[in-house]
Amino acid sequence: MHSFISRSLLFIFAIGAVAGIEANAQQTREVQNAREAVNKVLEDSGKHFRDGLTALKANRRQDSGLNFDKSVEVFLSSAINIQTDGRLQTCYNQLLETVYRIEFPTAAKQPQIRSLAASCGWQWNEVDLGLADEVTALVAQTKTADASVAQSQAPNDELVGFNSQEFEPSPLDELSKLELLPEELEIEGNPEASQQYQYIQYAVSNRSLGFSFQVHPMIQQYINYYRGRGRRTMEVGLYRSGMFMSMARMIFRQEGIPENVAWLGQVESAWKPSAMSHMAASGLWQFIPGTGARFGLRRTAHVDERNSFDEATRASARYLRFLFNRYNNWELALAAYNCGEGNVDRAIRRAGSANFWAAYPFLPRETRNYVPNILATILIANNPTQYGFGHVRPAPPLRYDRVRVPPSTNLGLIAQASDTTVQYLRYLNPHLRTNSTPPEPYIVNVPPGKSNEVVAVFRKLPATKINNTSLANSVRGETWESISNRTGVSVAELMAANPGMRVPSGKVFVPVSGNNAARVQATSYSRPTSQRQAAATSAFTIVKAQAGDTVTKLAQRVGANAVEVAKINGLLPNSVLGAGREIKIPTK
C-alpha cells in the first residue's frame, strides 16, 4: 500500500513539475514576445529618425519633418501602452523633445541626439553617430526664434520649422511695409472721407465704442485705404472674424477689456490661427515665444499654446490689461502690444509726453502703421454698411466642446469617440504638435455636442488600456460576430473588452494587439450604414487634392461651389489641403 501511495505521489509531483515547466515556458515566451515587440518599436522609430537626420542634412526639410513624424507615429500606432514600459516612455519623451529642439532651435537648449540614441538603444555605427553630430552642429548655427534673440533679428525661415506650408503669412509683415498713397491721405478734398472723419469724432466723443482714443486724420486715411486697394483684406477679415469674435468678446469682457479692442486680432492675424510673422510671432494673437511664456502660454515638445484658441485669447486679454494699467492709454497699450514696452517707453521719453501721437515719430515704422490701422478696423467693423462692407456676412462661429482627457491620449481614439477625424481634431487644436496629447490631463477641443460621448468613453476605459484600444460604432441588430469580422478581433476578446454588454450597443471597445493592430486601425472608421445613409453618401464624389491646393482652388478646378465644398468637409474656403487628401464634392 505504501509503495502504491509513494508511486502515486511521485506521479502527481511529476505531472505538476511538467505543468510548471510548461507554464514557465509559456510565461518565458510571453515575456520574450513582449520584449521583441518593444525592441521592434524602438528599432523602427530609430530608422525613421535616422532618415530624418539624413534629409535634414541635405536641406530637404519637409522630408525630414515627415520622417520625424513617422518616428513618433511608430509609438502611437503600436499595440503597446508606452506608459507601462520604462524604455518606451523614456525614448518617446526624449524623442519628442529632440525633434522639437531640432525644428525650433534655441541658443539655450540644443538637441541631444547622441543622448537620445543611447536612451532608445539605437545601435548606430560611427557613420550614424557622425551624422548626428553634423546635424547637431547645423542646428547650433541656426538663428533662433526664441526670446533670447534680439527682437530686431528675425529667424532664418529656411532653417526654422519643417512644414512651413502649415503656416500662413501674418498680415503684420505686409503692414510693416505699407505706405499710404496720396489719394488715401486726402480727407478735406474728399467730401465722403471728410464726412466719415466727422463720424469718428462723434463716435469717440459719445464713447459708443466702449473706450476712448484721440481722433487723428491717419485713422480716416486707413479707412480710405480699406475702402480702396485694401478692400479685399478687410472683406476677408470681416468674414473670418465670425469664427472667433464671439469667443474673443466673451473672454475680453471676462478679463475687463473693452470688447471692441478684440478687433486687434484682425490686424494681427486676419483671424488665422496658423498665421506666423517673420519675427516668429504665431497664432491668432501673434505672440512671440517670450511674451507668450510671460502670460502662461506653454511652448514644449507637445504643445505650442500660442496657436490655441481660448488660452491664447485669454493671454492676449491679460497682456492688454497689463499694458493699459501701465500706460492708462489705449493707443500706447496697443503700440506696446506690437513692439514691446521697452520701445514705447523710449519713445515716450524722447517725446517728453505719454501720448501716442507725440511719441509717434520715435516708434518703429510698423507700430506707427499698426495703431491707426486697428482703430480704423474697429470703426469699420462697428458700422460696415456706412463704409461699404454691409455685403460681408461673417462666417458662422467655430463651435466646439472642451473636454479634459487622460495623459498621452492618442488623437485617433478621441476622434473615434467624437465621430470625427484626426485631421479635424488637429484643426480644432492647432496648438497640439503631435497626434498625442501632453503627458498630463489636458483639455482638448472636440466637435460640438460630442463632449458627453467622449467623457463616457474615458469613464469606462481603464487608463492602462487607453493606447491599445480602438472604437467601433455598432448599429441596431449588429452582433459580436459581425464586429469581429470587420475588425479581426475575436468574439471572446470583444466581449471581454466590453463587460456587461450582452449585445453590441453604441460605441464598443476593440482591443488592439500586435496581431490585429494594422487591421483594426484600417477598419475602425468603417462603420455599418443604413440604406438611407448610403444613399446620402452617393450624393458626393471624391476628389484627391493636388499639392498647393486650397478648398477654393480645388472647387474651381472641378466646377463646384467653394463654400459648399468647405462646409461638407468641415473646412474653410481658404483651408490649405495636403496632396492626396480626399475631398467630398457634391454631385450635381
Side-chain angles (χ1 to χ4, degrees), residues 415-438:
Q416 292 169 332
S418 56
D419 295 314
T420 188
T421 63
V422 170
Q423 191 166 21
Y424 191 62
L425 278 185
R426 294 296 296 269
Y427 173 75
L428 290 179
N429 297 273
H431 53 296
L432 295 180
R433 294 181 46 78
T434 72
N435 284 347
S436 179
T437 63

Side-chain angles (χ1 to χ4, degrees), residues 43 48 60 76 189 195 220 241 284 311 343 366 482 581:
E43 180 183 353
H48 290 305
R60 291 183 287 108
L76 299 178
Q195 184 179 5
Q220 179 60 45
S241 71
L284 287 172
E311 289 79 9
N343 282 324
E366 178 183 320
S482 63
R581 177 172 178 177

Side-chain angles (χ1 to χ4, degrees), residues 62 165 423 543-549 576-582:
Q62 188 167 349
Q165 77 277 7
Q423 191 166 21
V543 174
K544 288 189 176 183
Q546 300 174 4
D549 267 353
V576 179
L577 305 175
R581 177 172 178 177
E582 294 185 346

Side-chain angles (χ1 to χ4, degrees), residues 233-439:
T233 300
M234 179 59 66
E235 288 175 337
V236 171
L238 292 176
Y239 169 77
R240 289 186 60 88
S241 71
M243 299 176 63
F244 300 104
M245 196 59 188
S246 60
M247 176 268 294
R249 283 185 180 276
M250 179 189 70
I251 290 176
F252 273 50
R253 183 170 61 250
Q254 291 172 349
E255 296 294 334
I257 302 298
E259 294 178 29
N260 271 317
V261 176
W263 283 104
L264 76 82
Q266 180 156 319
V267 176
E268 288 284 348
S269 67
W271 303 109
K272 297 175 182 178
S274 56
M276 178 176 282
S277 78
H278 72 289
M279 296 297 293
S282 186
L284 287 172
W285 307 98
Q286 290 292 285
F287 279 103
I288 61 172
T291 308
R294 281 173 59 195
F295 290 88
L297 299 178
R298 294 189 300 164
R299 186 168 176 255
T300 71
H302 306 278
V303 295
D304 187 343
E305 290 178 340
R306 297 178 303 154
N307 297 106
S308 62
F309 300 154
D310 298 71
E311 289 79 9
T313 301
R314 194 167 298 280
S316 175
R318 289 175 176 172
Y319 185 29
L320 285 164
R321 184 176 61 191
F322 165 82
L323 293 171
F324 181 76
N325 290 340
R326 182 185 183 103
Y327 298 109
N328 195 33
N329 176 287
W330 274 114
E331 295 103 303
L332 292 173
L334 293 172
Y337 190 97
N338 177 254
C339 67
E341 303 96 289
N343 282 324
V344 171
D345 290 346
R346 282 190 292 273
I348 290 173
R349 284 197 299 271
R350 295 181 67 183
S353 173
N355 176 284
F356 173 77
W357 296 107
Y360 179 89
F362 309 108
L363 290 167
R365 176 182 174 185
E366 178 183 320
T367 307
R368 297 200 298 267
N369 289 344
Y370 177 84
V371 173
N373 201 313
I374 290 176
L375 298 176
T377 299
I378 291 172
L379 287 157
I380 293 173
N382 276 270
N383 201 341
T385 301
Q386 174 176 323
Y387 294 105
F389 293 94
H391 62 286
V392 179
R393 179 175 296 179
L398 182 61
R399 303 294 186 191
Y400 49 87
D401 291 349
R402 288 166 64 76
V403 180
R404 188 181 299 275
V405 299
S408 302
T409 300
N410 193 328
L411 293 190
L413 182 61
I414 303 174
Q416 292 169 332
S418 56
D419 295 314
T420 188
T421 63
V422 170
Q423 191 166 21
Y424 191 62
L425 278 185
R426 294 296 296 269
Y427 173 75
L428 290 179
N429 297 273
H431 53 296
L432 295 180
R433 294 181 46 78
T434 72
N435 284 347
S436 179
T437 63

Side-chain angles (χ1 to χ4, degrees), residues 98-157:
T98 303
V99 171
Y100 178 65
R101 293 301 170 194
I102 293 174
E103 186 172 7
F104 296 103
T106 70
K109 294 184 178 181
Q110 294 295 318
Q112 304 297 317
I113 302 177
R114 280 195 176 228
S115 175
L116 170 68
S119 296
C120 296
W122 295 337
Q123 301 300 314
W124 284 3
N125 56 32
E126 289 302 316
V127 174
D128 297 328
L129 292 174
L131 174 64
D133 293 340
E134 289 182 64
V135 170
T136 300
L138 177 67
V139 171
Q141 296 170 6
T142 304
K143 294 179 182 178
T144 75
D146 196 81
S148 59
V149 177
Q151 291 188 14
S152 61
Q153 184 180 17
N156 185 337
D157 293 335

